[in-house]
PDB file of all heavy atoms in Angstrom:
ATOM      1  N   MET A  13      34.907  15.918 168.542  1.00  0.00           N
ATOM      2  CA  MET A  13      33.550  16.312 168.362  1.00  0.00           C
ATOM      3  C   MET A  13      32.658  15.173 168.843  1.00  0.00           C
ATOM      4  O   MET A  13      32.928  14.007 168.546  1.00  0.00           O
ATOM      5  CB  MET A  13      33.297  16.570 166.862  1.00  0.00           C
ATOM      6  CG  MET A  13      31.831  16.837 166.601  1.00  0.00           C
ATOM      7  SD  MET A  13      31.428  16.935 164.817  1.00  0.00           S
ATOM      8  CE  MET A  13      32.250  18.390 164.315  1.00  0.00           C
ATOM      9  N   THR A  14      31.645  15.521 169.555  1.00  0.00           N
ATOM     10  CA  THR A  14      30.665  14.516 169.974  1.00  0.00           C
ATOM     11  C   THR A  14      29.290  14.992 169.600  1.00  0.00           C
ATOM     12  O   THR A  14      29.061  16.163 169.352  1.00  0.00           O
ATOM     13  CB  THR A  14      30.699  14.305 171.498  1.00  0.00           C
ATOM     14  OG1 THR A  14      30.397  15.542 172.165  1.00  0.00           O
ATOM     15  CG2 THR A  14      32.109  13.841 171.946  1.00  0.00           C
ATOM     16  N   PHE A  15      28.370  14.034 169.458  1.00  0.00           N
ATOM     17  CA  PHE A  15      27.004  14.357 169.140  1.00  0.00           C
ATOM     18  C   PHE A  15      26.097  13.281 169.652  1.00  0.00           C
ATOM     19  O   PHE A  15      26.554  12.141 169.904  1.00  0.00           O
ATOM     20  CB  PHE A  15      26.795  14.588 167.625  1.00  0.00           C
ATOM     21  CG  PHE A  15      27.074  13.352 166.759  1.00  0.00           C
ATOM     22  CD1 PHE A  15      26.067  12.495 166.411  1.00  0.00           C
ATOM     23  CD2 PHE A  15      28.373  13.081 166.401  1.00  0.00           C
ATOM     24  CE1 PHE A  15      26.307  11.391 165.678  1.00  0.00           C
ATOM     25  CE2 PHE A  15      28.675  11.985 165.625  1.00  0.00           C
ATOM     26  CZ  PHE A  15      27.626  11.098 165.252  1.00  0.00           C
ATOM     27  N   ASP A  16      24.869  13.558 169.803  1.00  0.00           N
ATOM     28  CA  ASP A  16      23.860  12.578 170.297  1.00  0.00           C
ATOM     29  C   ASP A  16      23.201  11.981 169.065  1.00  0.00           C
ATOM     30  O   ASP A  16      22.242  12.494 168.529  1.00  0.00           O
ATOM     31  CB  ASP A  16      22.875  13.277 171.181  1.00  0.00           C
ATOM     32  CG  ASP A  16      21.927  12.284 171.892  1.00  0.00           C
ATOM     33  OD1 ASP A  16      21.757  11.148 171.406  1.00  0.00           O
ATOM     34  OD2 ASP A  16      21.315  12.697 172.895  1.00  0.00           O
ATOM     35  N   GLN A  17      23.744  10.827 168.622  1.00  0.00           N
ATOM     36  CA  GLN A  17      23.213  10.183 167.426  1.00  0.00           C
ATOM     37  C   GLN A  17      21.770   9.796 167.581  1.00  0.00           C
ATOM     38  O   GLN A  17      20.980   9.972 166.651  1.00  0.00           O
ATOM     39  CB  GLN A  17      24.066   8.975 167.102  1.00  0.00           C
ATOM     40  CG  GLN A  17      23.663   8.286 165.786  1.00  0.00           C
ATOM     41  CD  GLN A  17      24.609   7.200 165.348  1.00  0.00           C
ATOM     42  OE1 GLN A  17      25.632   7.011 165.940  1.00  0.00           O
ATOM     43  NE2 GLN A  17      24.220   6.518 164.298  1.00  0.00           N
ATOM     44  N   GLU A  18      21.379   9.276 168.714  1.00  0.00           N
ATOM     45  CA  GLU A  18      19.993   8.917 168.916  1.00  0.00           C
ATOM     46  C   GLU A  18      19.043  10.092 168.814  1.00  0.00           C
ATOM     47  O   GLU A  18      17.960   9.988 168.269  1.00  0.00           O
ATOM     48  CB  GLU A  18      19.841   8.225 170.282  1.00  0.00           C
ATOM     49  CG  GLU A  18      20.443   6.816 170.315  1.00  0.00           C
ATOM     50  CD  GLU A  18      20.241   6.132 171.664  1.00  0.00           C
ATOM     51  OE1 GLU A  18      19.410   6.605 172.461  1.00  0.00           O
ATOM     52  OE2 GLU A  18      20.923   5.117 171.882  1.00  0.00           O
ATOM     53  N   ALA A  19      19.435  11.251 169.362  1.00  0.00           N
ATOM     54  CA  ALA A  19      18.612  12.438 169.303  1.00  0.00           C
ATOM     55  C   ALA A  19      18.422  12.888 167.858  1.00  0.00           C
ATOM     56  O   ALA A  19      17.301  13.287 167.443  1.00  0.00           O
ATOM     57  CB  ALA A  19      19.204  13.585 170.123  1.00  0.00           C
ATOM     58  N   ILE A  20      19.493  12.840 167.084  1.00  0.00           N
ATOM     59  CA  ILE A  20      19.403  13.256 165.659  1.00  0.00           C
ATOM     60  C   ILE A  20      18.516  12.289 164.921  1.00  0.00           C
ATOM     61  O   ILE A  20      17.626  12.701 164.188  1.00  0.00           O
ATOM     62  CB  ILE A  20      20.801  13.278 165.044  1.00  0.00           C
ATOM     63  CG1 ILE A  20      21.648  14.391 165.725  1.00  0.00           C
ATOM     64  CG2 ILE A  20      20.764  13.470 163.554  1.00  0.00           C
ATOM     65  CD1 ILE A  20      23.109  14.356 165.381  1.00  0.00           C
ATOM     66  N   GLU A  21      18.724  10.989 165.090  1.00  0.00           N
ATOM     67  CA  GLU A  21      17.914  10.008 164.345  1.00  0.00           C
ATOM     68  C   GLU A  21      16.468  10.013 164.798  1.00  0.00           C
ATOM     69  O   GLU A  21      15.589   9.713 164.006  1.00  0.00           O
ATOM     70  CB  GLU A  21      18.564   8.641 164.506  1.00  0.00           C
ATOM     71  CG  GLU A  21      19.904   8.550 163.745  1.00  0.00           C
ATOM     72  CD  GLU A  21      20.651   7.262 163.939  1.00  0.00           C
ATOM     73  OE1 GLU A  21      20.349   6.511 164.905  1.00  0.00           O
ATOM     74  OE2 GLU A  21      21.546   6.968 163.121  1.00  0.00           O
ATOM     75  N   SER A  22      16.201  10.356 166.065  1.00  0.00           N
ATOM     76  CA  SER A  22      14.825  10.395 166.550  1.00  0.00           C
ATOM     77  C   SER A  22      14.034  11.497 165.878  1.00  0.00           C
ATOM     78  O   SER A  22      12.798  11.451 165.835  1.00  0.00           O
ATOM     79  CB  SER A  22      14.769  10.565 168.069  1.00  0.00           C
ATOM     80  OG  SER A  22      15.144  11.906 168.445  1.00  0.00           O
ATOM     81  N   LYS A  23      14.701  12.490 165.322  1.00  0.00           N
ATOM     82  CA  LYS A  23      14.037  13.569 164.573  1.00  0.00           C
ATOM     83  C   LYS A  23      13.882  13.182 163.101  1.00  0.00           C
ATOM     84  O   LYS A  23      13.421  14.011 162.289  1.00  0.00           O
ATOM     85  CB  LYS A  23      14.830  14.861 164.682  1.00  0.00           C
ATOM     86  CG  LYS A  23      15.106  15.342 166.068  1.00  0.00           C
ATOM     87  CD  LYS A  23      13.850  15.851 166.687  1.00  0.00           C
ATOM     88  CE  LYS A  23      14.160  16.438 168.054  1.00  0.00           C
ATOM     89  NZ  LYS A  23      12.992  16.743 168.823  1.00  0.00           N
ATOM     90  N   GLY A  24      14.279  11.956 162.749  1.00  0.00           N
ATOM     91  CA  GLY A  24      14.132  11.478 161.362  1.00  0.00           C
ATOM     92  C   GLY A  24      15.274  11.925 160.484  1.00  0.00           C
ATOM     93  O   GLY A  24      15.170  11.838 159.260  1.00  0.00           O
ATOM     94  N   LEU A  25      16.365  12.366 161.088  1.00  0.00           N
ATOM     95  CA  LEU A  25      17.523  12.850 160.283  1.00  0.00           C
ATOM     96  C   LEU A  25      18.556  11.747 160.197  1.00  0.00           C
ATOM     97  O   LEU A  25      18.637  10.851 161.036  1.00  0.00           O
ATOM     98  CB  LEU A  25      18.102  14.068 160.952  1.00  0.00           C
ATOM     99  CG  LEU A  25      17.126  15.296 161.081  1.00  0.00           C
ATOM    100  CD1 LEU A  25      17.769  16.374 161.937  1.00  0.00           C
ATOM    101  CD2 LEU A  25      16.758  15.800 159.715  1.00  0.00           C
ATOM    102  N   LYS A  26      19.382  11.811 159.195  1.00  0.00           N
ATOM    103  CA  LYS A  26      20.471  10.883 158.984  1.00  0.00           C
ATOM    104  C   LYS A  26      21.767  11.454 159.534  1.00  0.00           C
ATOM    105  O   LYS A  26      21.927  12.699 159.542  1.00  0.00           O
ATOM    106  CB  LYS A  26      20.622  10.558 157.539  1.00  0.00           C
ATOM    107  CG  LYS A  26      19.384  10.015 156.852  1.00  0.00           C
ATOM    108  CD  LYS A  26      19.348   8.558 156.886  1.00  0.00           C
ATOM    109  CE  LYS A  26      18.145   8.065 156.073  1.00  0.00           C
ATOM    110  NZ  LYS A  26      17.618   6.863 156.552  1.00  0.00           N
ATOM    111  N   THR A  27      22.711  10.611 159.920  1.00  0.00           N
ATOM    112  CA  THR A  27      24.001  11.069 160.371  1.00  0.00           C
ATOM    113  C   THR A  27      25.051  10.680 159.338  1.00  0.00           C
ATOM    114  O   THR A  27      26.017   9.981 159.609  1.00  0.00           O
ATOM    115  CB  THR A  27      24.362  10.467 161.761  1.00  0.00           C
ATOM    116  OG1 THR A  27      24.259   9.029 161.651  1.00  0.00           O
ATOM    117  CG2 THR A  27      23.429  10.964 162.827  1.00  0.00           C
ATOM    118  N   ILE A  28      24.848  11.198 158.124  1.00  0.00           N
ATOM    119  CA  ILE A  28      25.732  10.889 157.017  1.00  0.00           C
ATOM    120  C   ILE A  28      26.640  12.096 156.791  1.00  0.00           C
ATOM    121  O   ILE A  28      26.213  13.223 156.851  1.00  0.00           O
ATOM    122  CB  ILE A  28      24.903  10.622 155.723  1.00  0.00           C
ATOM    123  CG1 ILE A  28      24.022   9.363 155.920  1.00  0.00           C
ATOM    124  CG2 ILE A  28      25.825  10.473 154.514  1.00  0.00           C
ATOM    125  CD1 ILE A  28      23.063   9.164 154.771  1.00  0.00           C
ATOM    126  N   THR A  29      27.898  11.789 156.545  1.00  0.00           N
ATOM    127  CA  THR A  29      28.894  12.856 156.291  1.00  0.00           C
ATOM    128  C   THR A  29      29.340  12.748 154.862  1.00  0.00           C
ATOM    129  O   THR A  29      30.058  11.831 154.473  1.00  0.00           O
ATOM    130  CB  THR A  29      30.114  12.752 157.242  1.00  0.00           C
ATOM    131  OG1 THR A  29      29.637  12.778 158.572  1.00  0.00           O
ATOM    132  CG2 THR A  29      31.076  13.886 156.990  1.00  0.00           C
ATOM    133  N   PRO A  30      28.910  13.664 153.978  1.00  0.00           N
ATOM    134  CA  PRO A  30      29.376  13.654 152.585  1.00  0.00           C
ATOM    135  C   PRO A  30      30.824  14.137 152.500  1.00  0.00           C
ATOM    136  O   PRO A  30      31.291  14.926 153.307  1.00  0.00           O
ATOM    137  CB  PRO A  30      28.448  14.624 151.855  1.00  0.00           C
ATOM    138  CG  PRO A  30      28.020  15.546 152.958  1.00  0.00           C
ATOM    139  CD  PRO A  30      28.010  14.798 154.226  1.00  0.00           C
ATOM    140  N   VAL A  31      31.548  13.611 151.493  1.00  0.00           N
ATOM    141  CA  VAL A  31      32.902  14.078 151.201  1.00  0.00           C
ATOM    142  C   VAL A  31      32.838  14.792 149.878  1.00  0.00           C
ATOM    143  O   VAL A  31      32.430  14.235 148.875  1.00  0.00           O
ATOM    144  CB  VAL A  31      33.866  12.857 151.122  1.00  0.00           C
ATOM    145  CG1 VAL A  31      35.271  13.308 150.735  1.00  0.00           C
ATOM    146  CG2 VAL A  31      33.906  12.142 152.437  1.00  0.00           C
ATOM    147  N   ILE A  32      33.245  16.043 149.915  1.00  0.00           N
ATOM    148  CA  ILE A  32      33.196  16.911 148.699  1.00  0.00           C
ATOM    149  C   ILE A  32      34.612  17.261 148.331  1.00  0.00           C
ATOM    150  O   ILE A  32      35.369  17.819 149.096  1.00  0.00           O
ATOM    151  CB  ILE A  32      32.345  18.136 148.962  1.00  0.00           C
ATOM    152  CG1 ILE A  32      30.933  17.761 149.409  1.00  0.00           C
ATOM    153  CG2 ILE A  32      32.361  19.083 147.767  1.00  0.00           C
ATOM    154  CD1 ILE A  32      30.100  18.920 149.920  1.00  0.00           C
ATOM    155  N   ILE A  33      34.952  16.954 147.118  1.00  0.00           N
ATOM    156  CA  ILE A  33      36.290  17.277 146.560  1.00  0.00           C
ATOM    157  C   ILE A  33      36.140  18.512 145.724  1.00  0.00           C
ATOM    158  O   ILE A  33      35.458  18.552 144.726  1.00  0.00           O
ATOM    159  CB  ILE A  33      36.847  16.127 145.736  1.00  0.00           C
ATOM    160  CG1 ILE A  33      36.944  14.827 146.590  1.00  0.00           C
ATOM    161  CG2 ILE A  33      38.201  16.492 145.139  1.00  0.00           C
ATOM    162  CD1 ILE A  33      37.275  13.581 145.836  1.00  0.00           C
ATOM    163  N   THR A  34      36.790  19.588 146.200  1.00  0.00           N
ATOM    164  CA  THR A  34      36.637  20.880 145.524  1.00  0.00           C
ATOM    165  C   THR A  34      37.766  21.244 144.569  1.00  0.00           C
ATOM    166  O   THR A  34      37.634  22.160 143.810  1.00  0.00           O
ATOM    167  CB  THR A  34      36.475  22.029 146.572  1.00  0.00           C
ATOM    168  OG1 THR A  34      37.688  22.052 147.363  1.00  0.00           O
ATOM    169  CG2 THR A  34      35.283  21.810 147.434  1.00  0.00           C
ATOM    170  N   ASN A  35      38.872  20.523 144.666  1.00  0.00           N
ATOM    171  CA  ASN A  35      40.000  20.838 143.769  1.00  0.00           C
ATOM    172  C   ASN A  35      40.178  19.750 142.740  1.00  0.00           C
ATOM    173  O   ASN A  35      41.265  19.276 142.477  1.00  0.00           O
ATOM    174  CB  ASN A  35      41.281  21.033 144.596  1.00  0.00           C
ATOM    175  CG  ASN A  35      41.674  19.773 145.356  1.00  0.00           C
ATOM    176  OD1 ASN A  35      40.894  18.919 145.630  1.00  0.00           O
ATOM    177  ND2 ASN A  35      42.925  19.677 145.709  1.00  0.00           N
ATOM    178  N   THR A  36      39.066  19.374 142.070  1.00  0.00           N
ATOM    179  CA  THR A  36      39.118  18.311 141.096  1.00  0.00           C
ATOM    180  C   THR A  36      40.024  18.634 139.914  1.00  0.00           C
ATOM    181  O   THR A  36      40.517  17.723 139.225  1.00  0.00           O
ATOM    182  CB  THR A  36      37.714  17.985 140.585  1.00  0.00           C
ATOM    183  OG1 THR A  36      37.100  19.163 140.055  1.00  0.00           O
ATOM    184  CG2 THR A  36      36.821  17.396 141.651  1.00  0.00           C
ATOM    185  N   GLN A  37      40.278  19.894 139.667  1.00  0.00           N
ATOM    186  CA  GLN A  37      41.197  20.233 138.538  1.00  0.00           C
ATOM    187  C   GLN A  37      42.637  19.764 138.842  1.00  0.00           C
ATOM    188  O   GLN A  37      43.400  19.647 137.915  1.00  0.00           O
ATOM    189  CB  GLN A  37      41.173  21.762 138.303  1.00  0.00           C
ATOM    190  CG  GLN A  37      41.765  22.618 139.385  1.00  0.00           C
ATOM    191  CD  GLN A  37      40.859  22.912 140.548  1.00  0.00           C
ATOM    192  OE1 GLN A  37      39.742  22.415 140.589  1.00  0.00           O
ATOM    193  NE2 GLN A  37      41.320  23.702 141.487  1.00  0.00           N
ATOM    194  N   ALA A  38      42.930  19.480 140.087  1.00  0.00           N
ATOM    195  CA  ALA A  38      44.281  18.974 140.433  1.00  0.00           C
ATOM    196  C   ALA A  38      44.404  17.510 140.154  1.00  0.00           C
ATOM    197  O   ALA A  38      45.534  16.939 140.270  1.00  0.00           O
ATOM    198  CB  ALA A  38      44.559  19.253 141.904  1.00  0.00           C
ATOM    199  N   TYR A  39      43.318  16.834 139.784  1.00  0.00           N
ATOM    200  CA  TYR A  39      43.326  15.389 139.522  1.00  0.00           C
ATOM    201  C   TYR A  39      42.900  15.141 138.087  1.00  0.00           C
ATOM    202  O   TYR A  39      42.059  15.804 137.556  1.00  0.00           O
ATOM    203  CB  TYR A  39      42.338  14.663 140.465  1.00  0.00           C
ATOM    204  CG  TYR A  39      42.703  14.863 141.921  1.00  0.00           C
ATOM    205  CD1 TYR A  39      42.112  15.869 142.686  1.00  0.00           C
ATOM    206  CD2 TYR A  39      43.661  14.077 142.524  1.00  0.00           C
ATOM    207  CE1 TYR A  39      42.469  16.056 144.010  1.00  0.00           C
ATOM    208  CE2 TYR A  39      44.005  14.268 143.874  1.00  0.00           C
ATOM    209  CZ  TYR A  39      43.390  15.237 144.590  1.00  0.00           C
ATOM    210  OH  TYR A  39      43.705  15.414 145.895  1.00  0.00           O
ATOM    211  N   GLU A  40      43.516  14.102 137.536  1.00  0.00           N
ATOM    212  CA  GLU A  40      43.118  13.715 136.158  1.00  0.00           C
ATOM    213  C   GLU A  40      41.726  13.131 136.185  1.00  0.00           C
ATOM    214  O   GLU A  40      40.928  13.380 135.294  1.00  0.00           O
ATOM    215  CB  GLU A  40      44.081  12.641 135.638  1.00  0.00           C
ATOM    216  CG  GLU A  40      43.794  12.227 134.196  1.00  0.00           C
ATOM    217  CD  GLU A  40      44.874  11.265 133.663  1.00  0.00           C
ATOM    218  OE1 GLU A  40      46.053  11.488 133.915  1.00  0.00           O
ATOM    219  OE2 GLU A  40      44.443  10.309 133.003  1.00  0.00           O
ATOM    220  N   ASP A  41      41.405  12.343 137.232  1.00  0.00           N
ATOM    221  CA  ASP A  41      40.074  11.756 137.356  1.00  0.00           C
ATOM    222  C   ASP A  41      39.833  11.429 138.838  1.00  0.00           C
ATOM    223  O   ASP A  41      40.756  11.193 139.585  1.00  0.00           O
ATOM    224  CB  ASP A  41      40.021  10.437 136.549  1.00  0.00           C
ATOM    225  CG  ASP A  41      38.600  10.062 136.159  1.00  0.00           C
ATOM    226  OD1 ASP A  41      37.655  10.792 136.576  1.00  0.00           O
ATOM    227  OD2 ASP A  41      38.437   9.056 135.447  1.00  0.00           O
ATOM    228  N   VAL A  42      38.596  11.450 139.239  1.00  0.00           N
ATOM    229  CA  VAL A  42      38.164  11.114 140.603  1.00  0.00           C
ATOM    230  C   VAL A  42      37.300   9.892 140.459  1.00  0.00           C
ATOM    231  O   VAL A  42      36.240   9.911 139.863  1.00  0.00           O
ATOM    232  CB  VAL A  42      37.410  12.259 141.252  1.00  0.00           C
ATOM    233  CG1 VAL A  42      36.939  11.799 142.657  1.00  0.00           C
ATOM    234  CG2 VAL A  42      38.295  13.493 141.370  1.00  0.00           C
ATOM    235  N   ILE A  43      37.754   8.730 141.026  1.00  0.00           N
ATOM    236  CA  ILE A  43      37.076   7.495 140.911  1.00  0.00           C
ATOM    237  C   ILE A  43      36.760   6.918 142.291  1.00  0.00           C
ATOM    238  O   ILE A  43      37.619   6.920 143.151  1.00  0.00           O
ATOM    239  CB  ILE A  43      37.956   6.454 140.142  1.00  0.00           C
ATOM    240  CG1 ILE A  43      38.300   6.996 138.733  1.00  0.00           C
ATOM    241  CG2 ILE A  43      37.248   5.095 140.064  1.00  0.00           C
ATOM    242  CD1 ILE A  43      39.349   6.180 138.038  1.00  0.00           C
ATOM    243  N   VAL A  44      35.526   6.495 142.508  1.00  0.00           N
ATOM    244  CA  VAL A  44      35.166   5.850 143.754  1.00  0.00           C
ATOM    245  C   VAL A  44      35.666   4.430 143.678  1.00  0.00           C
ATOM    246  O   VAL A  44      35.245   3.635 142.843  1.00  0.00           O
ATOM    247  CB  VAL A  44      33.633   5.868 143.977  1.00  0.00           C
ATOM    248  CG1 VAL A  44      33.294   5.073 145.223  1.00  0.00           C
ATOM    249  CG2 VAL A  44      33.104   7.287 144.046  1.00  0.00           C
ATOM    250  N   GLU A  45      36.654   4.095 144.511  1.00  0.00           N
ATOM    251  CA  GLU A  45      37.264   2.757 144.524  1.00  0.00           C
ATOM    252  C   GLU A  45      36.407   1.773 145.283  1.00  0.00           C
ATOM    253  O   GLU A  45      36.244   0.652 144.900  1.00  0.00           O
ATOM    254  CB  GLU A  45      38.645   2.819 145.149  1.00  0.00           C
ATOM    255  CG  GLU A  45      39.654   3.630 144.351  1.00  0.00           C
ATOM    256  CD  GLU A  45      40.292   2.790 143.275  1.00  0.00           C
ATOM    257  OE1 GLU A  45      40.463   1.545 143.480  1.00  0.00           O
ATOM    258  OE2 GLU A  45      40.723   3.383 142.260  1.00  0.00           O
ATOM    259  N   LYS A  46      35.828   2.239 146.383  1.00  0.00           N
ATOM    260  CA  LYS A  46      35.093   1.356 147.252  1.00  0.00           C
ATOM    261  C   LYS A  46      34.083   2.154 148.029  1.00  0.00           C
ATOM    262  O   LYS A  46      34.410   3.147 148.674  1.00  0.00           O
ATOM    263  CB  LYS A  46      36.040   0.644 148.231  1.00  0.00           C
ATOM    264  CG  LYS A  46      35.445  -0.410 149.073  1.00  0.00           C
ATOM    265  CD  LYS A  46      36.543  -1.088 149.885  1.00  0.00           C
ATOM    266  CE  LYS A  46      36.003  -2.295 150.611  1.00  0.00           C
ATOM    267  NZ  LYS A  46      37.061  -2.942 151.416  1.00  0.00           N
ATOM    268  N   LEU A  47      32.841   1.765 147.907  1.00  0.00           N
ATOM    269  CA  LEU A  47      31.775   2.458 148.658  1.00  0.00           C
ATOM    270  C   LEU A  47      31.527   1.645 149.920  1.00  0.00           C
ATOM    271  O   LEU A  47      31.243   0.482 149.888  1.00  0.00           O
ATOM    272  CB  LEU A  47      30.499   2.490 147.785  1.00  0.00           C
ATOM    273  CG  LEU A  47      29.303   3.198 148.429  1.00  0.00           C
ATOM    274  CD1 LEU A  47      29.611   4.669 148.729  1.00  0.00           C
ATOM    275  CD2 LEU A  47      28.087   3.103 147.513  1.00  0.00           C
ATOM    276  N   ARG A  48      31.717   2.337 151.081  1.00  0.00           N
ATOM    277  CA  ARG A  48      31.546   1.632 152.367  1.00  0.00           C
ATOM    278  C   ARG A  48      30.614   2.455 153.257  1.00  0.00           C
ATOM    279  O   ARG A  48      30.552   3.642 153.141  1.00  0.00           O
ATOM    280  CB  ARG A  48      32.855   1.472 153.079  1.00  0.00           C
ATOM    281  CG  ARG A  48      33.871   0.686 152.375  1.00  0.00           C
ATOM    282  CD  ARG A  48      35.092   0.455 153.231  1.00  0.00           C
ATOM    283  NE  ARG A  48      35.502   1.618 153.980  1.00  0.00           N
ATOM    284  CZ  ARG A  48      36.212   1.600 155.100  1.00  0.00           C
ATOM    285  NH1 ARG A  48      36.583   0.426 155.627  1.00  0.00           N
ATOM    286  NH2 ARG A  48      36.529   2.680 155.761  1.00  0.00           N
ATOM    287  N   TYR A  49      30.010   1.778 154.173  1.00  0.00           N
ATOM    288  CA  TYR A  49      29.219   2.416 155.192  1.00  0.00           C
ATOM    289  C   TYR A  49      29.949   2.180 156.505  1.00  0.00           C
ATOM    290  O   TYR A  49      30.405   1.088 156.794  1.00  0.00           O
ATOM    291  CB  TYR A  49      27.795   1.829 155.240  1.00  0.00           C
ATOM    292  CG  TYR A  49      27.032   2.157 154.007  1.00  0.00           C
ATOM    293  CD1 TYR A  49      26.978   1.288 152.937  1.00  0.00           C
ATOM    294  CD2 TYR A  49      26.341   3.380 153.904  1.00  0.00           C
ATOM    295  CE1 TYR A  49      26.281   1.622 151.790  1.00  0.00           C
ATOM    296  CE2 TYR A  49      25.639   3.717 152.755  1.00  0.00           C
ATOM    297  CZ  TYR A  49      25.624   2.815 151.745  1.00  0.00           C
ATOM    298  OH  TYR A  49      24.934   3.149 150.594  1.00  0.00           O
ATOM    299  N   VAL A  50      30.097   3.233 157.260  1.00  0.00           N
ATOM    300  CA  VAL A  50      30.802   3.176 158.510  1.00  0.00           C
ATOM    301  C   VAL A  50      29.757   3.129 159.644  1.00  0.00           C
ATOM    302  O   VAL A  50      28.864   3.897 159.667  1.00  0.00           O
ATOM    303  CB  VAL A  50      31.714   4.428 158.696  1.00  0.00           C
ATOM    304  CG1 VAL A  50      32.428   4.384 160.015  1.00  0.00           C
ATOM    305  CG2 VAL A  50      32.674   4.480 157.512  1.00  0.00           C
ATOM    306  N   SER A  51      29.946   2.173 160.521  1.00  0.00           N
ATOM    307  CA  SER A  51      29.036   2.097 161.652  1.00  0.00           C
ATOM    308  C   SER A  51      29.642   2.791 162.848  1.00  0.00           C
ATOM    309  O   SER A  51      30.839   3.042 162.949  1.00  0.00           O
ATOM    310  CB  SER A  51      28.730   0.620 161.973  1.00  0.00           C
ATOM    311  OG  SER A  51      29.910  -0.052 162.325  1.00  0.00           O
ATOM    312  N   GLN A  52      28.768   3.043 163.839  1.00  0.00           N
ATOM    313  CA  GLN A  52      29.207   3.698 165.049  1.00  0.00           C
ATOM    314  C   GLN A  52      30.130   2.789 165.848  1.00  0.00           C
ATOM    315  O   GLN A  52      29.860   1.612 166.024  1.00  0.00           O
ATOM    316  CB  GLN A  52      28.003   4.093 165.910  1.00  0.00           C
ATOM    317  CG  GLN A  52      28.367   4.793 167.202  1.00  0.00           C
ATOM    318  CD  GLN A  52      27.117   5.118 168.010  1.00  0.00           C
ATOM    319  OE1 GLN A  52      26.034   4.780 167.635  1.00  0.00           O
ATOM    320  NE2 GLN A  52      27.313   5.792 169.081  1.00  0.00           N
ATOM    321  N   ARG A  53      31.244   3.311 166.319  1.00  0.00           N
ATOM    322  CA  ARG A  53      32.145   2.531 167.117  1.00  0.00           C
ATOM    323  C   ARG A  53      31.942   2.904 168.599  1.00  0.00           C
ATOM    324  O   ARG A  53      31.974   4.066 168.957  1.00  0.00           O
ATOM    325  CB  ARG A  53      33.609   2.841 166.677  1.00  0.00           C
ATOM    326  CG  ARG A  53      34.608   2.038 167.529  1.00  0.00           C
ATOM    327  CD  ARG A  53      35.995   2.255 167.040  1.00  0.00           C
ATOM    328  NE  ARG A  53      36.358   3.656 167.106  1.00  0.00           N
ATOM    329  CZ  ARG A  53      37.360   4.209 166.441  1.00  0.00           C
ATOM    330  NH1 ARG A  53      38.064   3.498 165.640  1.00  0.00           N
ATOM    331  NH2 ARG A  53      37.602   5.463 166.598  1.00  0.00           N
ATOM    332  N   MET A  54      31.675   1.922 169.378  1.00  0.00           N
ATOM    333  CA  MET A  54      31.456   2.164 170.797  1.00  0.00           C
ATOM    334  C   MET A  54      32.781   2.044 171.522  1.00  0.00           C
ATOM    335  O   MET A  54      33.526   1.129 171.318  1.00  0.00           O
ATOM    336  CB  MET A  54      30.486   1.107 171.376  1.00  0.00           C
ATOM    337  CG  MET A  54      29.154   1.090 170.651  1.00  0.00           C
ATOM    338  SD  MET A  54      28.264   2.646 170.670  1.00  0.00           S
ATOM    339  CE  MET A  54      27.708   2.623 172.371  1.00  0.00           C
ATOM    340  N   SER A  55      33.091   3.034 172.376  1.00  0.00           N
ATOM    341  CA  SER A  55      34.404   2.998 173.072  1.00  0.00           C
ATOM    342  C   SER A  55      34.169   2.731 174.527  1.00  0.00           C
ATOM    343  O   SER A  55      33.128   2.739 175.045  1.00  0.00           O
ATOM    344  CB  SER A  55      35.159   4.302 172.875  1.00  0.00           C
ATOM    345  OG  SER A  55      34.360   5.400 173.264  1.00  0.00           O
TER     346      SER A  55
END
C-alpha cells in the first residue's frame, strides 16, 4: 500500500493508524507495554 503522506498532511489530516483489539475476551488483560511513535522510513 502506498499513499501520499504530504497530500494528506497538507489537508490538515494525521497519518495515524490505530490498533483495535476486538477479541479482548480471549485475553486476561490488555496492557500497553510501550507507547512508540513510528516515523516514515525512506527507501
Side-chain angles (χ1 to χ4, degrees):
M13 172 189 294
T14 61
F15 62 95
D16 188 340
Q17 183 172 354
E18 288 181 15
I20 294 169
E21 291 174 343
S22 73
K23 302 290 184 189
L25 301 171
K26 305 266 185 211
T27 55
I28 298 172
T29 304
V31 176
I32 301 170
I33 301 170
T34 60
N35 61 338
T36 55
Q37 69 278 4
Y39 299 95
E40 184 176 317
D41 204 356
V42 176
I43 301 170
V44 176
E45 294 274 331
K46 187 175 187 180
L47 181 61
R48 296 186 323 154
Y49 293 93
V50 179
S51 61
Q52 179 181 4
R53 180 176 59 200
M54 303 301 285
S55 54

